[in-house]
Amino acid sequence: MSIQVKYTTIIVDDMEESIKFYREVLGFEIDSVYRLPPKGEPVVGSITLMKSEGDTMVELIKNNEYNTGFYSIGMEVNDMETTINELKEKGAKIIAEPVNTGVGSCAFIEDPNGVKICIIHHF
């Protein structure tokens, strides 16, 4: 099983203000922008991935369905099915089974402290 930290997700109140902070104060650059949901339904929010040095990013999500603040840590895997099966065998608490995200799939587990960890696989 290969797992790599990919991003930290933060739910924001004001996307423009948050982008400005990460760009001007911390020196991050916009990596990519997505709408929520990915396609076919009315837009309910947006995602902006902010990149600095290295491979790990900050994922900013504007969506009124969630409370503002830290949301989860995203970890990239090469094989979702194998990883989820191995995590289950090791006793991980699965709080959301894998679902299609439009750009891949994701599932959620929870650590012993209640921190959500998004297991992601990009197509």
Side-chain angles (χ1 to χ4, degrees):
M1 175 171 54
S2 172
I3 298 178
Q4 177 186 20
V5 175
K6 187 70 173 173
Y7 59 81
T8 298
T9 301
I10 301 169
I11 307 299
V12 302
D13 283 327
D14 184 324
M15 183 63 82
E16 296 307 316
E17 178 181 46
S18 297
I19 290 171
K20 182 178 178 182
F21 172 82
Y22 281 92
R23 287 181 86 171
E24 295 179 10
V25 176
L26 298 178
F28 285 50
E29 292 297 325
I30 294 175
D31 177 78
S32 52
V33 178
Y34 304 92
R35 56 175 261 159
L36 290 172
K39 54 187 166 183
E41 298 176 31
V43 176
V44 297
S46 63
I47 299 172
T48 301
L49 292 172
M50 304 292 297
K51 188 166 178 61
S52 66
E53 300 288 326
D55 294 329
T56 306
M57 294 184 266
V58 172
E59 178 183 47
L60 305 174
I61 296 180
K62 171 70 174 136
N63 184 332
N64 294 334
E65 295 180 25
Y66 300 99
N67 294 328
T68 302
F70 173 76
Y71 184 74
S72 69
I73 298 170
M75 298 186 182
E76 178 86 29
V77 299
N78 293 329
D79 182 326
M80 178 64 78
E81 185 177 347
T82 300
T83 301
I84 291 299
N85 288 335
E86 287 182 28
L87 291 170
K88 285 179 179 178
E89 288 174 11
K90 293 180 178 183
K93 181 178 179 182
I94 310 294
I95 58 175
E97 292 288 337
V99 296
N100 187 323
T101 64
V103 296
S105 61
C106 76
F108 280 89
I109 65 172
E110 192 173 79
D111 85 353
N113 304 293
V115 173
K116 289 180 276 199
I117 300 170
C118 180
I119 305 298
I120 56 174
H121 175 257
H122 290 95
F123 298 135

